[in-house]
Amino acid sequence: LAQISICRDLPNIEVITFSVNGISDLEPLNQCQNLSELYLRKNNIASLNELFYLKNLPRLRVLWLSENPCCGSDPHHYRMTVLRNLPSLQKLDNQAVTEEELSQALVDGEEITAPPARRNVENGCPESTESSAAESTTETESELLNFSLEETNKIREELGMKPVPRDKFSSFSPRETDCNRKKRNNVLNAILLLMKELDAEGLEIIQQTVGRRLQALQKKELQEE
């Protein structure tokens, strides 16, 4: 299972998409000095103190953090606290940041000066948590696919790759369990992130390997039919 800890080995990564993945700890991101866009919608981030690990990322301009436990019940306090600690953001939760908000954040936002107390929780698929139970009832399959498709295609665009057509993306089988889908998304994101570190020769090797793998799968499908 690919975890957010892979980011420790990718200090030059610029865009990270880990939405709907059970992530609770942002500490591995504090080395990603070139990070400009971070998508963390619907995870298990419990405390806004996790923002401590993002405060020293000089190029971070886009953050999507909504639908995490840390957002709490007061959307104004949440937004003001994020902007007080990350005043270089241009977009928070798909909403543009204004100069007025940045000024207001100095009054209404809470300054974060220390990381959260460490928890003994592994990032991955929670066995049974309130957030995952709520997730299964409040988010439809198509909604999840739309977000995953949008964010995956953003990474593919960064890599100079063609976008994934929606019909191909949704064919990743809605019959999968929630945990299996998250595992596959984690692996897919990890591969896309790592590909950004490769040169032309490395990408050609990946292309050849994927081609052979696809041929083998297609052959297997024909045999099964």
Side-chain angles (χ1 to χ4, degrees):
L1 179 62
Q3 295 181 2
I4 195 172
S5 57
I6 191 175
C7 298
R8 289 196 183 97
D9 302 321
L10 299 170
N12 296 320
I13 202 71
E14 294 174 22
V15 178
I16 293 177
T17 301
F18 275 132
S19 296
V20 199
N21 269 308
I23 287 162
S24 58
D25 175 9
L26 301 187
E27 187 271 334
L29 298 175
N30 68 358
Q31 302 297 320
C32 301
Q33 290 294 298
N34 287 336
L35 188 63
S36 62
E37 299 180 30
L38 178 59
Y39 299 90
L40 292 166
R41 186 188 65 89
K42 269 204 172 185
N43 280 287
N44 294 333
I45 299 162
S47 168
L48 285 174
N49 282 37
E50 294 288 344
L51 295 174
F52 179 83
Y53 299 117
L54 307 181
K55 289 180 74 169
N56 294 319
L57 302 182
R59 300 184 181 180
L60 188 61
R61 297 292 178 268
V62 176
L63 175 64
W64 200 326
L65 191 61
S66 63
E67 297 172 272
N68 275 278
C70 65
C71 300
S73 58
D74 184 344
H76 178 74
H77 177 262
Y78 153 71
R79 190 170 173 90
M80 292 293 99
T81 295
V82 174
L83 295 181
R84 174 160 185 173
N85 290 280
L86 303 175
S88 296
L89 285 182
Q90 294 172 357
K91 211 169 192 183
L92 172 59
D93 299 336
N94 213 28
Q95 186 178 336
V97 175
T98 66
E99 288 296 328
E100 291 80 2
E101 282 185 306
L102 291 173
S103 299
Q104 193 64 38
L106 294 172
V107 180
D108 294 348
E110 188 180 328
E111 181 72 26
I112 291 166
T113 57
R118 273 293 136 242
R119 301 165 299 284
N120 293 322
V121 177
E122 285 294 320
N123 284 327
C125 295
E127 292 292 321
S128 171
T129 64
E130 285 181 26
S131 64
S132 65
E135 188 176 287
S136 63
T137 55
T138 60
E139 179 153 39
T140 65
E141 188 75 29
S142 65
E143 190 183 0
L144 177 60
L145 279 168
N146 281 335
F147 272 106
S148 299
L149 179 64
E150 178 186 327
E151 292 168 355
T152 298
N153 280 340
K154 188 160 191 64
I155 292 179
R156 290 175 69 88
E157 186 183 340
E158 288 279 321
L159 293 165
M161 298 164 69
K162 289 181 180 177
V164 183
R166 199 190 187 295
D167 59 333
K168 297 276 187 195
F169 199 81
S170 59
S171 70
F172 282 141
S173 177
R175 292 189 301 274
E176 288 177 310
T177 66
D178 192 45
C179 198
N180 281 344
R181 185 172 60 237
K182 286 180 185 177
K183 180 178 179 180
R184 189 205 59 246
N185 285 347
N186 266 330
V187 172
L188 178 63
N189 281 328
I191 290 168
L192 289 170
L193 291 171
L194 286 166
M195 280 174 63
K196 195 159 187 181
E197 303 290 307
L198 294 175
D199 57 11
E201 185 183 357
L203 287 169
E204 282 172 11
I205 293 168
I206 294 288
Q207 188 177 34
Q208 291 163 9
T209 307
V210 169
R212 286 196 297 271
R213 174 88 174 129
L214 281 170
Q215 283 178 346
L217 287 172
Q218 287 160 359
K219 188 176 176 183
K220 185 182 174 186
E221 284 174 5
L222 286 171
Q223 287 170 348
E224 286 174 353
E225 286 174 7

